[in-house]
Amino acid sequence: MSATVERGVNALREQVDAPVASFFSSCVSCGLCADACIFFQETQDPQYTPIRKVELLRRVWENEYTLFGRVKNMVGLGNRITEEDFTEMEQLVYDSCTMCGRCTMVCPVGNDITMMIRKMREGMSAAGHAPVELIGAAKRHTTGNSPMGDLSKAIEAQVKHAIADTGIEIAFDKPGVDYLVILSAQEIAEYPEVIGAMAQIFDKAGVTWTIASEAFEATNVGVQIGNRDVAKYLVTRVVEAAEKLKVKKVISPECGHAYQALRWEGPNLIGREYGFEVVHIIELLDQLRAEGKLKTSGKDSDKITFHDPCQINRRGGINKEPRRLLNMVAENFVETEDAGTMNWCCSAGGGVGANERAGHLKDAAFQLKKRQFEKVAPDKIVTMCAFCHHTLENALEDNDMDIEVAGLTEMMAEYLEDED
Amino acid sequence: MNNPNFDLLMFARGPLFDIALLVFVAGVLIRVVEILILGRKKDFSKAKGQPVQQGIKTIFTRTFPRPGAIKANPITIVGGYVFHIGFFIAFLLFVPHIALIEELTGLSWPGVGRVVIEGATVLAVIAGLALLYTRWKDPVRRKLTTWVDYLVLILSLLPLITGYVAVNKLFGDPTFMMALHVLSVDILMIVFPFTKLMHAFTFAMARYYNGSIQGRKGAES
C-alpha cells in the first residue's frame, strides 16, 4: 500500500462510528436514494446513486469493524483499497455531490448518506484526491483571509461605502457589543449591499454589532474539501475573534456551508462549547420581527419565489423563518414545487461550483431548477445564501432566463419602515 | 420404522434448528454490539431541536415514503411493503408458529385463520418475485446488487413457498416438504447475521441516528 493510500485509509478509519456502522449494516441496496439525487435525476446515470459514492468508507468499515470482514481479511478475501479506487471515486465524491442532503431524507432505513459523504471526503483529501480548485482555495484561506485571496482592503472599502450610503456608523473590532457580523467572501466580492442592509436593520432594531478585522470571513473550505485540520483552523479564527471581543452572539451570514461549519461542526472541531451563541442572520431577522423590532412598510408587487439553500433549510432547520419574513414584503409570493425541506440544490453547492471538472454536471443539474422556475415563472428569486445567489444568477443568464435574484436581508432592508 | 423424510424433518427441527438458532442469536448480538461499541463523539454544538425525541420519532415516521416516491419507484416501495407485511403475518400469526415460539420463549398471542395466512403468503411471494425482478431489470438497483443480495432475497422466499406447499400438501411427500420448510428456515437463520438481513434489527438504530442528527439542528427528518 502506498503512503498516500495509507493516509486515505487511515483518515477513513477515523470516520467510522456507530452511526456509520448502523447505516452500512442497514442498507438493503434498494436504490431509492438515486431519485433523490439531482445528478442522477438529470443524467439517469446509475453511477450517481448516492450510496455508491461512499463505497470506500463502507469497505473500511466492513474490512476492519466487522467480525466477518476481519475474518475475510485474515484469509485474504478482504477487499483492499487501492490508489485506483480513490481515483475512480474522486468524481463521484466531489463532482456529482453537493452534499445537498436529499438522499438522507428519503432512505427508508434512515441512512444519513450526506454525512457519510462528508466523511468520505476526509479520506479522499488525505489520499491526495481532492479537486485542485478546492486545494487552492484552502491554501489561500489558511495563509490569507479568504478563499478568494486577500479581501482585507475590499472589506474596508465596502464598509466605507456602506457608511456613506446609509449614514450609519459601522465599527471594526468594537468590544462588548452584542453581535459579531461575519460575511462570506461572495458577499464581500459580489454582493456587498448586504452590509448596508444589515446596518440599516440593526440601527432601527437597536442591535449593537461589529466586524472583526482578524476574522471577517465565514466560509470554510475545510468542510467542503473534507479536511478537519483546515476546517478547525478556520473556525478557530472566528472563535478567537468573537471571544476576544466578548460578543454575545456571532451572526452566521447568508451562506449555506458557513452555517454548517460555524454552527454545527465548529464546536466539535475545536472540541468544546463556544463562549458565545451562533445565530443565522435570517433567524435573527425573524426574531427581531417577532419582537416588533423589524417593521416594514409597502410590498414588492413582483411575482417572487424563494430558493431554499440546502445547508440552511434541509440540513440547517431554518424553514419557516424566511417565509415569515418574505411574506412581510412580498405581495405575490409563490412557492416552487418541492419548496422547503425537499427543495432541490442550486446545482453548485458543496464545492461543485469551484470545481471546473464538474462544470457539465452542474449545468445538467441546473436543468431541474430551470423547469421548476419555468413552471412558476417568477420575476424574482429570493434566497438566503450568497453562493446560491451567485450560482442561480449565472445559470439563469447561461440559460437565457431573465429573472432577477436577490438576497433576503437586502430585500428586508429595502422595505424597512422609515417613520421617525 | 425407517423413514428418511421423517429423519430429515427431525434433524431440521432438532439439532440443526438448535445450531441455527444459536448462530442467529449470537450472530445478531455480536453484530449489534459491534456497532454500539463504536459509539459516537460527544456533540458540543448547542442543540436547537430535540435530538433524542426526534430520533425515536424517526424510527416510526421513516416507515412512510415521502410524497411522490411511490410514483417514482412503485415496485420497490409497494413490493417492499407487501413482502414485509405478508412475511410477518405468515411468520408471526400462524397458529403452529405461535405454538413453537411459546415453546421457546413462553410468549404467545392469538393467531389468525388459514385464509389470511395463505393470502399473506401468496402476496408476499409475488411481491418478493417483483422485488427480484426490479433488482434485475432496473439499472440503478442492478448496479448496487451483489450476488449475496439475490441469494438473501431468494432464501427469504423459500420458507414462504415451502411452508405453503407443505401445509397445503400441494405436491411431494408432505413430511419431506415440511422438512424442506424447516431446513429453509434454519438456513435463513444461519445466514442472517452475515448478510443485509441484519437490517431487520439495525434499521431502528440507523433511523434513530438520522433523526437525532437532524433533530439537533431543528431540521426535519
Side-chain angles (χ1 to χ4, degrees):
Chain A
M1 203 192 294
S2 80
T4 50
V5 170
E6 203 174 322
R7 269 204 298 275
V9 172
N10 284 343
L12 288 174
R13 192 177 289 133
E14 279 176 26
Q15 296 299 319
V16 178
D17 56 7
V20 168
S22 75
F23 296 156
F24 286 131
S25 301
S26 302
C27 176
V28 289
S29 309
C30 70
L32 294 182
C33 50
D35 280 305
C37 176
I38 196 166
F39 295 101
F40 173 77
Q41 275 292 344
E42 292 308 300
T43 62
Q44 293 292 311
D45 185 338
Q47 70 168 327
Y48 297 135
T49 306
I51 193 71
R52 288 177 49 83
K53 299 173 188 171
V54 292
E55 174 60 16
L56 300 187
L57 184 61
R58 193 197 65 77
R59 265 154 67 181
V60 168
W61 160 77
E62 189 185 345
N63 285 344
E64 303 185 25
Y65 294 93
T66 68
L67 184 63
F68 193 42
R70 282 200 296 265
V71 171
K72 277 207 290 192
N73 237 355
M74 273 193 305
V75 298
L77 290 171
N79 204 342
R80 292 214 157 269
I81 293 172
T82 63
E83 182 70 34
E84 288 70 46
D85 292 325
F86 278 111
T87 309
E88 196 189 319
M89 292 311 282
E90 207 176 300
Q91 58 115 4
L92 297 183
V93 180
Y94 290 104
D95 303 12
S96 67
C97 178
T98 61
M99 301 203 275
C100 84
R102 286 185 105 256
C103 50
T104 292
M105 304 299 287
V106 305
C107 175
V109 293
N111 291 353
D112 189 348
I113 303 172
T114 317
M115 176 260 255
M116 294 201 285
I117 292 271
R118 168 72 185 83
K119 287 170 173 281
M120 257 300 281
R121 288 187 177 187
E122 288 285 331
M124 298 297 297
S125 73
H129 284 275
V132 286
E133 296 89 344
L134 294 184
I135 295 171
K139 277 186 186 147
R140 285 190 294 276
H141 205 172
T142 47
T143 56
N145 51 42
S146 109
M148 290 182 177
D150 184 7
L151 287 181
S152 54
K153 294 273 183 302
I155 181 91
E156 271 176 39
Q158 302 298 6
V159 166
K160 265 184 204 154
H161 279 304
I163 295 172
D165 287 349
T166 61
I168 298 166
E169 197 49 45
I170 302 171
F172 278 95
D173 305 314
K174 192 173 173 186
V177 293
D178 287 342
Y179 291 91
L180 176 67
V181 163
I182 48 175
L183 298 154
S184 77
Q186 205 72 45
E187 288 175 313
I188 299 165
E190 206 177 350
Y191 311 114
E193 307 80 17
V194 75
I195 302 171
M198 282 192 282
Q200 286 172 302
I201 296 171
F202 294 162
D203 187 54
K204 279 258 153 63
V207 168
T208 59
W209 61 291
T210 190
I211 299 174
S213 53
E214 297 288 303
F216 55 83
E217 214 279 336
T219 64
N220 194 320
V221 67
V223 306
Q224 297 185 321
I225 205 169
N227 185 314
R228 284 180 61 88
D229 296 332
V230 170
K232 179 182 174 181
Y233 181 73
L234 295 175
V235 160
T236 304
R237 265 188 207 168
V238 176
V239 173
E240 280 175 357
E243 290 179 351
K244 199 165 100 187
L245 292 167
K246 298 196 168 48
V247 295
K248 292 196 186 82
K249 296 187 184 184
V250 171
I251 302 175
S252 190
E254 289 196 14
C255 171
H257 83 271
Y259 183 61
Q260 286 299 321
L262 192 65
R263 174 81 174 84
W264 304 112
E265 274 206 42
N268 299 314
L269 289 165
I270 66 168
R272 65 170 172 88
E273 285 171 24
Y274 293 154
F276 53 88
E277 269 184 53
V278 177
V279 57
H280 188 267
I281 177 69
I282 299 304
E283 276 180 303
L284 175 59
L285 296 189
D286 188 54
Q287 184 201 320
L288 295 175
R289 176 202 59 80
E291 292 167 357
K293 292 175 182 167
L294 171 59
K295 290 184 187 148
T296 56
S297 66
K299 285 189 176 189
D300 192 324
S301 59
D302 280 350
K303 192 177 194 182
I304 291 175
T305 195
F306 185 71
H307 166 77
D308 288 281
C310 310
Q311 304 305 324
I312 299 177
N313 185 342
R314 185 163 40 252
R315 295 189 74 73
I318 300 175
N319 185 345
K320 296 198 174 85
E321 294 88 337
R323 292 176 164 80
R324 284 196 289 257
L325 293 168
L326 200 48
N327 276 319
M328 289 169 77
V329 295
E331 205 169 76
N332 191 3
F333 170 32
V334 190
E335 297 271 23
T336 55
E337 210 179 323
D338 304 315
T341 303
M342 290 306 282
N343 188 43
W344 294 91
C345 175
C346 66
S347 72
V352 169
N355 177 352
E356 243 177 74
R357 193 181 54 196
H360 67 288
L361 278 168
K362 180 185 78 176
D363 295 343
F366 181 74
Q367 297 310 305
L368 200 159
K369 297 298 297 180
K370 183 183 170 185
R371 291 194 300 277
Q372 290 195 321
F373 289 140
E374 279 170 348
K375 258 190 210 162
V376 172
D379 303 306
K380 197 185 276 178
I381 300 165
V382 176
T383 189
M384 52 178 172
C385 164
F387 198 74
C388 291
H389 187 162
H390 167 84
T391 301
L392 293 175
E393 219 162 52
N394 288 331
L396 289 167
E397 198 185 315
D398 289 347
N399 286 273
D400 298 317
M401 294 168 81
D402 186 23
I403 305 172
E404 190 190 333
V405 186
L408 183 53
T409 306
E410 276 168 70
M411 179 133 181
M412 297 311 292
E414 206 178 311
Y415 289 91
L416 212 50
E417 190 176 61
D418 51 6
E419 36 112 298
D420 47 22
Chain B
M1 184 170 109
N2 195 0
N3 180 346
N5 291 339
F6 185 75
D7 291 346
L8 183 65
L9 177 60
M10 284 302 114
F11 171 70
R13 58 185 291 175
L16 187 62
F17 181 83
D18 292 344
I19 292 169
L21 192 63
L22 182 72
V23 171
F24 172 75
V25 173
V28 168
L29 274 176
I30 289 172
R31 287 292 305 271
V32 168
V33 170
E34 200 170 64
I35 293 168
L36 292 177
I37 53 165
L38 287 170
R40 56 173 169 164
K41 288 192 184 121
K42 178 178 160 45
D43 198 320
F44 291 102
S45 66
K46 193 178 162 228
K48 186 178 174 185
Q50 288 163 324
V52 176
Q53 282 95 318
Q54 194 167 325
I56 293 167
K57 196 177 127 206
T58 305
I59 297 176
F60 301 98
T61 55
R62 201 46 83 90
T63 306
F64 307 102
R66 291 206 161 253
I70 295 180
K71 210 175 142 197
N73 291 283
I75 302 180
T76 302
I77 297 178
V78 177
Y81 273 118
V82 174
F83 172 73
H84 281 89
I85 295 169
F87 186 95
F88 281 105
I89 289 176
F91 171 33
L92 294 174
L93 298 179
F94 186 40
V95 175
H97 291 167
I98 299 171
L100 175 71
I101 292 167
E102 190 177 7
E103 207 180 292
L104 285 168
T105 66
L107 299 171
S108 91
W109 50 84
V112 297
R114 277 276 293 274
V115 181
V116 178
I117 296 297
E118 293 189 5
T121 307
V122 171
L123 287 173
V125 172
I126 295 170
L129 293 174
L131 292 174
L132 266 179
Y133 170 81
T134 182
R135 250 183 210 292
W136 183 254
K137 287 306 267 190
D138 181 85
V140 167
R141 278 178 273 282
R142 187 170 175 145
K143 214 170 160 109
L144 286 174
T145 306
T146 63
W147 68 270
V148 182
D149 295 328
Y150 287 117
L151 180 74
V152 161
L153 188 44
I154 292 166
L155 289 180
S156 310
L157 291 176
L158 287 182
L160 293 164
I161 297 168
T162 53
Y164 189 85
V165 171
V167 169
N168 288 291
K169 303 186 170 55
L170 285 187
F171 54 80
D173 174 64
T175 309
F176 179 67
M177 293 319 293
M178 188 51 74
L180 281 188
H181 175 61
V182 181
L183 268 177
S184 70
V185 173
D186 292 343
I187 294 169
L188 194 63
M189 287 201 289
I190 290 170
V191 300
F192 196 102
F194 305 102
T195 61
K196 287 178 179 175
L197 289 167
M198 274 305 294
H199 80 279
F201 291 95
T202 58
F203 83 95
M205 296 155 79
R207 286 181 184 177
Y208 173 81
Y209 287 130
N210 183 313
S212 74
I213 293 166
Q214 289 286 98
R216 169 170 282 277
K217 301 176 183 175
E220 277 183 48
S221 52

